[in-house]
Amino acid sequence: MKTHQSLLNEKGNNRVLLSLIKNRKILWAGNRKLKIYGKLNCKSGKRMKTQNRVFFQNEQEAIALGFRPCGHCMRLEYLDWKRIHID
């Protein structure tokens, strides 16, 4: 897991982050405080504060760190998670 802040260069731009996304080294994003992960193109994820944003190489990493699927961009996965953890 990498934080958004740690991927900014000394000038504060996202060049490093964009390179990792382009090279498919980062495929998932999450909210550190809410413990929710989802796809990079999720509207909910794009609205979160950068200090709460974290990135994962794969979905298994997010799950292993205790994050749950996003209810917007991963609706079916979220419903499965909810059925298992809430019932």
Side-chain angles (χ1 to χ4, degrees), residues 2-6 8 14 17 30-32 45-55:
K2 296 191 182 281
T3 65
H4 191 140
Q5 301 289 6
S6 71
L8 296 176
N14 290 323
L17 175 60
N31 186 308
R32 180 176 56 89
K46 289 180 180 181
R47 289 192 310 256
M48 81 177 81
K49 295 180 180 180
T50 57
Q51 63 260 32
N52 294 332
R53 189 176 293 131
V54 292
F55 297 98

Side-chain angles (χ1 to χ4, degrees), residues 37-39 42 68-83:
Y37 75 95
K39 299 174 183 177
C42 180
R68 71 159 176 86
C70 174
H72 295 114
C73 66
M74 302 180 69
R75 188 72 181 158
L76 295 178
E77 293 87 346
Y78 169 72
L79 292 173
D80 285 343
W81 176 89
K82 186 176 176 182
R83 182 179 47 79

Side-chain angles (χ1 to χ4, degrees), residues 3-22 26 50 53 55:
T3 65
H4 191 140
Q5 301 289 6
S6 71
L7 295 174
L8 296 176
N9 69 11
E10 61 278 352
K11 295 180 182 176
N13 70 30
N14 290 323
R15 200 169 286 182
V16 173
L17 175 60
L18 294 174
S19 173
L20 291 170
I21 291 170
K22 182 180 177 183
I26 290 179
T50 57
R53 189 176 293 131
F55 297 98

